[in-house]
Amino acid sequence: MDRELILALSGVTCRYPGAPRDILQGVSLEVRAGEFHAVLGPNGSGKTTLVRTALGLVRPVEGHADILGRPASAWSRRELARVVGVLPQREDNLFPQRVRETVLLGRYPHLSLLGGMRATDRAAVERALVACDARDLADRWLWTLSGGEYQRIRLARALAQEPRLLVLDEPTASLDLRHEMELFELVRALVDAQGLAVLMITHHVNLAARFADRVLLLAEGRSAGAGAPGEVLTRETAERVFAWPVSIAPFEGRPQMIPLRPRKDAP
Amino acid sequence: MKYVLLAAVAVVTLAGAVLLGAAEVPLRDMVASPIVWQLRLPRAVLAFLVGGALGVSGVGLQALVRNPLADPFLLGLSGGAGLGAVVAIAFDLPGPWALPLAAFVGAVGAMALVYRLGLMGGAELDPRILLLGGVAVGAFAGAITTAIVSLAQATELRNAFLWLWGGFSGASWTTVLVMVVYAPLPLAVLAAAARPLDLLALGEEPAQYLGADVRRLKRLVYLAASLLTAAAVAVAGVIGFVGLVVPHVCRLVWGRLHRTLFPTAFLAGGILLVAADTLARTVVAPRELPVGIVTALLGVPVFAFLLRRWTVS
């Protein structure tokens, strides 16, 4: 099984001027086509910096970040947007707009300066809407959508870019159980059906363990474990990284983490 | 379709501006009348170009600072231009171009200062600092302007005051030519930025992920929109509300995409200012109101209505 290498970080170290310690230290990661990677770790462990480095917005002081064999910082934003689709944690909606208009923004990196939308662009938008089960929403105003629908639309916009790699930064942070599960199922289906490479930052250790092929566990800017969920998420590692007693129980062959309540009556 | 409609309204408005005026010009003499050819027509065309420039500049700056209440004059340009103009008036600088040139220099000076302030945090232009810096620079220039005006002679004072409220009484084919030569470059820069500006509405980081070179975009849009406003203020003084209200009206009617917004704002801004100028020189004829007063009287109620809509929805 030799899938194409999409994103490669090797020995990445990042430092912000004046910061007491390195934000990232010697972190490596390889994401191949058709793989779902999850990045886990407590707040401030360097997850977002890792993603920003992978996307060429932060330059590592040591090591390197390559996308399709080329340094991430050497890509122009436009070229990169044709290869990588991103769902950032936050974005604004300054002016009211409709769902289809929003998804069309995903075609912008493919359009020429003077040219308009071509048939191929419209087809890509339709495909993205269908893939995210959002065709019925196409004519709705964005502000009328629920949180789960909104995330699906943003995913559709990223898919309209026709990327090889999809990067998601805590995409289920404010979703209820059903919408959260639906989003994970959708991302997993895209990975399996289209051979998309996915890199997802999430706080949901258990969902990551069930859906992702590989996880990277970050602690204070260093890798505390990388590989299949079953290898990485052991009790010792999880307790050290998350600084809380846990129990690990297998479910459908994947580890599930249960946080424990500290015993007050212990001797 | 919308362009045909706007173009038709523009033609009607321009025709109205040529037909109406303090002096009675019989219809059959129109074609030969020097009043029409040397006064009304260049004045109407200049008002159209200035209104268009302010409309487009307003669209660009609202997208840049990502604040729907931004106005081309909010970024300190009016203060700088006013200071330049008042200096020219107070020191009685010679020549017909002294006043517009001094106003232009003042506006560009304020622009450069605000730009420098906006870059204080590093290599990235910070829109919030642009806004705050614009207000601060404008207030500073305004203070100096008021100091000069308060020490000036009564007639000078009146001239300065009238200039600050804007007007087209100095319009000629030469000023029209200056605008026609000057405006296309900044207009083209803004037009080329139309799609990236759509993306910028999502925020700077999401815009980058969708392919916009945000750093370059912000600099280009700020410079182009400011230079456009500086030219408008140099030939016509400070005319408020066109650059604020026109972008909103166009956005409400034709949507938020800049490929449509720029051309519609140009046409609508031109129409609004030609109409306002026609009113300014006819309602109290043979005297004239400064056109800025008319745009403010028309613009403030429209703006209040928009604000209400905004807060209700």
Side-chain angles (χ1 to χ4, degrees):
Chain A
M1 203 169 64
D2 219 30
R3 289 157 156 171
E4 191 182 358
L5 182 61
I6 309 278
L7 169 68
L9 303 182
S10 70
V12 164
T13 297
C14 288
R15 195 170 296 151
Y16 291 137
R21 62 171 176 85
D22 292 345
I23 301 293
L24 289 174
Q25 202 168 37
V27 176
S28 299
L29 173 73
E30 284 192 352
V31 185
R32 294 175 181 275
E35 281 182 354
F36 186 156
H37 277 246
V39 182
L40 302 170
N43 294 331
S45 58
K47 301 188 296 292
T48 298
T49 303
L50 183 84
V51 165
R52 290 171 63 87
T53 309
L55 296 169
L57 293 183
V58 174
R59 259 181 218 233
V61 290
E62 278 165 45
H64 47 89
D66 294 329
I67 291 172
L68 293 170
R70 196 168 144 205
S73 53
W75 292 75
S76 77
R77 297 310 330 169
R78 196 168 137 86
E79 287 173 319
L80 197 63
R82 292 183 206 154
V83 180
V84 184
V86 184
L87 254 75
Q89 244 182 79
R90 270 176 312 188
E91 66 183 48
D92 301 332
N93 285 298
L94 221 50
F95 305 111
Q97 61 181 320
R98 288 183 196 275
V99 165
R100 192 185 301 275
E101 283 176 355
T102 302
V103 179
L104 272 172
L105 296 180
R107 295 308 296 169
Y108 275 26
H110 295 273
L111 298 177
S112 67
L113 181 63
L114 297 173
M117 292 277 168
R118 297 151 299 180
T120 51
D121 298 311
R122 290 201 184 83
V125 168
E126 284 308 312
R127 273 200 305 280
L129 284 169
V130 170
C132 296
D133 191 22
R135 276 198 73 180
D136 298 343
L137 304 175
D139 295 317
R140 293 259 300 271
W141 289 100
L142 219 50
W143 49 268
T144 66
L145 302 183
S146 71
E149 291 169 334
Y150 181 55
Q151 286 302 67
R152 249 157 59 209
I153 295 311
R154 294 177 67 209
L155 188 58
R157 187 182 67 206
L159 290 181
Q161 290 172 253
E162 299 189 306
R164 307 286 313 276
L165 170 67
L166 191 62
V167 177
L168 307 105
D169 192 349
E170 293 188 35
T172 63
S174 57
L175 300 187
D176 61 28
L177 181 103
R178 189 187 120 205
H179 291 107
E180 186 169 62
M181 284 304 286
E182 282 177 354
L183 195 90
F184 268 91
E185 292 286 359
L186 178 55
V187 170
R188 183 71 240 180
L190 290 168
V191 171
D192 294 335
Q194 303 187 7
L196 208 62
V198 165
L199 181 65
M200 183 196 281
I201 294 183
T202 178
H203 277 300
H204 290 269
V205 176
N206 289 341
L207 287 180
R210 285 177 71 190
F211 283 92
D213 299 305
R214 305 178 73 79
V215 298
L216 169 64
L217 190 57
L218 285 179
E220 299 189 327
R222 294 163 191 264
S223 167
E231 299 164 16
V232 177
L233 292 169
T234 61
R235 192 174 65 84
E236 295 73 29
T237 313
E239 287 190 339
R240 183 165 52 79
V241 169
F242 292 104
W244 195 262
V246 300
S247 172
I248 302 284
F251 180 76
E252 294 176 348
R254 305 279 182 137
Q256 295 290 288
M257 186 173 89
I258 299 142
L260 303 177
R261 295 194 60 188
R263 283 165 205 240
K264 289 210 177 100
D265 55 337
Chain B
M1 188 56 214
K2 51 186 169 273
Y3 299 115
V4 176
L5 179 76
L6 278 169
V9 176
V11 168
V12 170
T13 318
L14 283 167
V18 170
L19 291 174
L20 300 172
E24 288 287 339
V25 181
L27 256 183
R28 58 189 148 74
D29 296 342
M30 277 286 163
V31 185
S33 164
I35 289 180
V36 167
W37 279 105
Q38 294 309 319
L39 294 174
R40 287 187 195 165
L41 193 56
R43 181 171 179 153
V45 173
L46 187 69
F48 191 83
L49 292 175
V50 167
L54 290 175
V56 168
S57 173
V59 168
L61 287 173
Q62 284 176 5
L64 172 72
V65 300
R66 311 201 310 111
N67 186 328
L69 300 185
D71 174 292
F73 292 118
L74 201 64
L75 297 181
L77 287 171
S78 58
L83 179 57
V86 166
V87 165
I89 292 168
F91 294 95
D92 208 9
L93 297 183
W97 289 95
L99 182 64
L101 269 179
F104 184 77
V105 168
V108 170
M111 176 191 91
L113 200 57
V114 173
Y115 184 80
R116 185 66 200 81
L117 286 173
L119 284 174
M120 241 172 7
E124 286 268 343
L125 210 53
D126 187 333
R128 293 165 307 171
I129 299 185
L130 276 186
L131 270 180
L132 292 174
V135 172
V137 168
F140 191 73
I144 302 177
T145 307
T146 311
I148 295 174
V149 168
S150 63
L151 299 173
Q153 307 288 331
T155 48
E156 288 172 356
L157 194 133
R158 186 168 177 280
N159 283 342
F161 180 77
L162 284 179
W163 189 88
L164 284 173
W165 273 98
F168 293 98
S169 50
S172 68
W173 285 115
T174 322
T175 35
V176 169
L177 187 68
V178 168
M179 276 304 273
V180 166
V181 172
Y182 177 95
L185 183 64
L187 284 176
V189 168
L190 288 172
R195 284 209 182 105
L197 283 176
D198 292 347
L199 299 177
L200 196 61
L202 300 171
E204 295 192 7
E205 194 175 331
Q208 298 196 43
Y209 295 144
L210 285 164
D213 183 348
V214 167
R215 187 173 152 177
R216 191 164 146 266
L217 175 73
K218 285 190 292 184
R219 293 175 176 218
L220 280 177
V221 169
Y222 176 72
L223 291 177
S226 297
L227 286 172
L228 213 48
T229 308
V233 81
V235 298
V238 179
I239 301 172
F241 284 95
V242 179
L244 176 66
V245 171
V246 166
H248 280 291
V249 172
C250 293
R251 212 176 274 118
L252 276 174
V253 181
W254 293 292
R256 54 179 283 283
L257 297 181
H258 288 84
R259 284 198 127 205
T260 316
L261 267 180
F262 278 133
T264 51
F266 184 84
L267 292 168
I271 291 166
L272 174 65
L273 206 44
V274 171
D277 184 52
T278 308
L279 281 177
R281 62 188 172 76
T282 50
V283 281
V284 290
R287 300 191 62 181
E288 258 185 42
L289 285 172
V291 69
I293 289 177
V294 180
T295 56
L297 289 178
L298 291 176
V300 174
V302 175
F303 190 62
F305 172 75
L306 284 173
L307 266 183
R308 192 163 161 268
R309 256 189 81 132
W310 206 276
T311 43
V312 166
S313 67

